[in-house]
Amino acid sequence: MLAENARKEQEQRQAEARKKLQETPTLNNYIAANLGSWNDYLVSQNINIPSDEDIRNLIEEEVSKWQIKGEFEPTAKWKERVNETTRTAKINAMADSIFSVNSKNVEAARAEYRKKYEELVDKYCAGIAEQFASQDLEIRPYDADNETFLISTSDFGDFLLPVPLDEAPGFKQEWDKWKSAAIASFMPNGEDVVLKSVSIGKYKYDSDMDATYAQVDVDYNFKPVDVAQLNRRFDEGDNLAMNSANSTSANQNKGFQTTKVKISAGTTPDTDINIPVGKPSDIPTFALVIANGDYDHASKVDHAENDGRIMTQYLTRTLGIPENNVATFINATYGQMASAISMLQDVGDAFDGSDFNIIFYYVGHGLPDDDGKKSFILPVDIDPRQVSICMPLEKIYADLGNMGAKNVTVMVDACFSGTNHGEGMLIPQSMGVAMKPKKADPVGNMIVLTATEGNETAFPYEEKSHGLFTYWILKKLQETAGQVTFGELSDYVIDNVKKTSVTVNKKPQTPTVATTPQLTGSWRNLKFGN
């Protein structure tokens, strides 16, 4: 009974603390209500800081009186007293006097204001820390590589808590005890405060420390055991038993599937492991990923499926886009691609008048029309000879750009010269001459990153099992946990693709970036969540 009463009292205290948290204003509002602004405080202390106009009028009035020649003042003496040099000295002396008197009063007021301000900040931060302690903390899976736990809070976001590897199992087992001992501190930041530190016993999070956390999924990327290759049998000469063993091995191989991985005991690209967990955007974001590699009437695009699946993981994990907001199509037909664009248009209609972002990623074949005036992307079920029924890039840009999104990010790992991803021509019967199609212009608030320029080819990066362009996008997202501006991302991708292509493929590949006039002065500083 006593335990039940204690539990109810604790729940009541937590509910009251949560209510208080909801009613608590920002730090700026709290200071304004209890102290006022600096200018308000000066007024309350009857301290008037003269304006430049006031100072000029005071000086001119006094100088005008000073420079008048006295009735009994000889001209020579007056000229000695009043001239350019002495007049300048007089003005400076008067200005010093005015500033000196006001400075003493202002500095005394500023010291008093600062003292009261800091007392209110400390009081506000203490109140927020008390509310922090009242909430329920949730422990996430341990990152053994970085020796950190991710701790989630209902009202203050997530923080990383370093715990040594040998102490981590015991810490997690006793978590219900540890979490009740959490002591937080906060510090001013902008209009409010941010979490500065959290102490849980001897373990401590500090906002100044360098810490890393990666939620890791493991795929043991080995082939199934083939008993026939072991050359270890107890049934030598028994044909019936050998047939049975071979049958078992065949069934095992048939059932084995290689799935997407983040870490693997086999050979896995570095971008596909330790995919970082980033901060979600404050603005709803919707993404469409189309990865076309297995074509019915054209050559295969190597690694396209892996490009699409891993890009999706970066969108959901690193950029924090909810899985329900990301549509991924592997080997999309014309109908699927048209339907996917239509779904995004439905999003635009639903969010009309509200801020939202769109991300569009495509990897696969691109091609020009016969006269090179337009660029198209190729669904897997369309013959590239029938370019008129492919998907015009110009129309895709127009559809995306006219949805009313705050920002539209387009990433296209394809070339539009008529060449394959790699070597040769997309249509074997063609003349074998790469074309330079007219670029499709971005529309609306759109930023476009494309894999190539002109009549270049978009190459694979065989060593990394990705498209060359896609690999370096993923690499930058991995290195920055998604906290990267488009200027930084485009500079990084262009530089690394150019260098890698001439080194590995012995041919140039130059990614390009394009945007609309309304983003000309701002696009470099934007991020995926802006």
Side-chain angles (χ1 to χ4, degrees):
M1 186 67 180
L2 290 175
E4 179 66 17
N5 289 338
R7 184 184 63 79
K8 289 182 177 180
E9 289 177 3
Q10 182 182 14
E11 289 178 351
Q12 183 177 357
R13 286 196 302 272
Q14 290 179 345
E16 291 173 352
R18 283 193 293 271
K19 182 180 179 182
K20 185 177 179 181
L21 175 64
Q22 295 171 353
E23 296 173 349
T24 300
T26 64
L27 175 61
N28 273 14
N29 292 339
Y30 182 75
I31 295 294
N34 290 277
L35 182 60
S37 68
W38 167 236
N39 288 334
D40 293 338
Y41 187 75
L42 287 175
V43 172
S44 71
Q45 300 299 306
N46 296 316
I47 297 174
N48 180 30
I49 299 178
S51 66
D52 290 347
E53 182 71 19
D54 292 334
I55 294 172
R56 182 168 55 253
N57 291 336
L58 283 171
I59 292 176
E60 287 181 347
E61 182 180 353
E62 291 300 318
V63 168
S64 295
K65 294 177 182 178
W66 167 81
Q67 66 189 14
I68 295 174
K69 182 179 178 297
E71 180 182 358
F72 304 103
E73 185 177 19
T75 300
K77 289 290 185 181
W78 174 77
K79 287 184 177 181
E80 183 180 339
R81 181 177 67 84
V82 180
N83 52 58
E84 288 293 341
T85 301
T86 58
R87 188 176 186 277
T88 300
K90 181 66 175 178
I91 291 173
N92 289 336
M94 293 183 64
D96 289 343
S97 176
I98 294 171
F99 282 110
S100 176
V101 171
N102 283 279
S103 293
K104 290 178 181 178
N105 294 335
V106 171
E107 286 305 315
R110 181 177 285 111
E112 186 65 25
Y113 182 85
R114 184 182 294 113
K115 179 182 178 183
K116 292 181 178 180
Y117 180 93
E118 290 174 351
E119 289 174 350
L120 287 172
V121 169
D122 290 343
K123 185 176 179 180
Y124 181 84
C125 288
I128 297 296
E130 182 180 341
Q131 292 157 15
F132 180 94
S134 70
Q135 65 182 339
D136 189 31
L137 306 181
E138 184 176 355
I139 191 169
R140 301 295 187 182
Y142 186 66
D143 178 359
D145 294 325
N146 295 298
E147 299 190 19
T148 55
F149 279 110
L150 178 69
I151 310 298
S152 295
T153 71
S154 57
D155 301 304
F156 297 94
D158 300 340
F159 63 92
L160 300 182
L161 190 68
V163 177
L165 183 62
D166 58 344
E167 300 175 21
F171 180 86
K172 186 168 186 177
Q173 186 175 3
E174 298 292 325
W175 173 241
D176 286 340
K177 179 189 74 174
W178 283 112
K179 68 180 181 181
S180 62
I183 300 174
S185 68
F186 290 81
M187 62 183 180
N189 182 61
E191 295 185 356
D192 208 0
V193 295
V194 294
L195 188 62
K196 184 180 187 301
S197 67
V198 180
S199 297
I200 303 181
K202 66 178 182 178
Y203 309 105
K204 185 174 182 178
Y205 156 79
D206 192 291
S207 60
D208 293 330
M209 71 183 184
D210 291 327
T212 304
Y213 176 84
Q215 187 174 334
V216 179
D217 296 332
V218 181
D219 180 15
Y220 299 96
N221 194 22
F222 293 114
K223 295 180 180 179
V225 176
D226 187 347
V227 178
Q229 298 297 321
L230 295 180
N231 197 25
R232 299 288 190 279
R233 293 198 186 92
F234 296 101
D235 55 357
E236 195 70 36
D238 185 340
N239 290 332
L240 180 62
M242 288 183 64
N243 289 337
S244 175
N246 288 336
S247 174
T248 301
S249 177
N251 288 336
Q252 286 175 336
N253 278 300
K254 184 177 181 180
F256 179 78
Q257 293 182 350
T258 302
T259 60
K260 55 186 178 181
V261 298
K262 296 170 190 67
I263 68 170
S264 173
T267 56
T268 304
D270 55 350
T271 50
D272 300 11
I273 61 175
N274 293 333
I275 298 176
V277 177
K279 297 180 180 179
S281 168
D282 294 332
I283 300 174
T285 300
F286 300 86
L288 172 58
V289 175
I290 297 176
N292 287 352
D294 233 351
Y295 284 89
D296 295 339
H297 308 285
S299 58
K300 181 180 177 64
V301 176
D302 291 336
H303 316 304
E305 181 173 343
N306 193 44
D307 286 339
R309 295 195 188 280
I310 299 301
M311 179 62 74
T312 296
Q313 292 183 41
Y314 274 87
L315 293 175
T316 56
R317 183 183 295 270
T318 306
L319 299 184
I321 303 174
E323 291 185 3
N324 288 339
N325 291 10
V326 180
T328 301
F329 291 83
I330 306 297
N331 299 320
T333 63
Y334 182 93
Q336 289 173 326
M337 292 171 69
S339 176
I341 297 293
S342 178
M343 284 192 298
L344 281 182
Q345 290 174 324
D346 291 340
V347 169
D349 293 340
F351 278 77
D352 184 32
S354 302
D355 283 343
F356 68 100
N357 294 328
I358 290 175
I359 297 174
F360 176 83
Y361 169 82
Y362 172 78
V363 58
H365 281 312
L367 70 163
D369 59 9
D370 291 338
D371 54 9
K373 291 182 178 179
K374 289 186 179 180
S375 299
F376 296 79
I377 60 177
L378 183 63
V380 295
D381 58 336
I382 302 297
D383 192 319
R385 298 175 183 82
Q386 306 297 318
V387 65
S388 60
I389 56 173
C390 293
M391 300 287 290
L393 198 61
E394 189 174 62
K395 184 179 185 305
I396 291 174
Y397 286 0
D399 289 342
L400 296 174
N402 291 322
M403 290 178 188
K406 183 179 180 182
N407 279 312
V408 179
T409 304
V410 176
M411 296 173 284
V412 180
D413 194 347
C415 53
F416 298 92
S417 59
T419 60
N420 272 321
H421 263 247
E423 298 292 340
M425 300 303 296
L426 179 59
I427 305 174
Q429 291 84 356
S430 67
M431 296 294 293
V433 177
M435 301 181 70
K436 186 177 181 179
K438 178 183 175 183
K439 290 183 179 179
D441 294 326
V443 177
N445 299 320
M446 183 177 291
I447 299 169
V448 177
L449 292 170
T450 51
T452 65
E453 68 176 14
N455 57 0
E456 292 178 345
T457 298
F459 288 101
Y461 196 178
E462 293 295 345
E463 178 186 342
K464 302 297 185 180
S465 299
H466 280 293
L468 183 56
F469 173 74
T470 295
Y471 171 79
W472 286 112
I473 291 177
L474 299 176
K475 191 63 178 175
K476 190 62 174 178
L477 292 177
Q478 183 185 53
E479 291 176 353
T480 62
Q483 297 302 302
V484 59
T485 66
F486 287 117
E488 294 166 341
L489 177 65
S490 60
D491 290 347
Y492 178 90
V493 172
I494 291 170
D495 181 59
N496 282 285
V497 169
K498 288 170 63 177
K499 291 177 179 177
T500 308
S501 187
V502 297
T503 303
V504 176
N505 301 314
K506 310 303 181 187
K507 291 184 179 179
Q509 180 179 337
T510 311
T512 61
V513 58
T515 186
T516 49
Q518 51 264 50
L519 295 182
T520 298
S522 61
W523 74 270
R524 290 188 62 84
N525 294 321
L526 295 177
K527 297 181 179 180
F528 283 96
N530 291 152

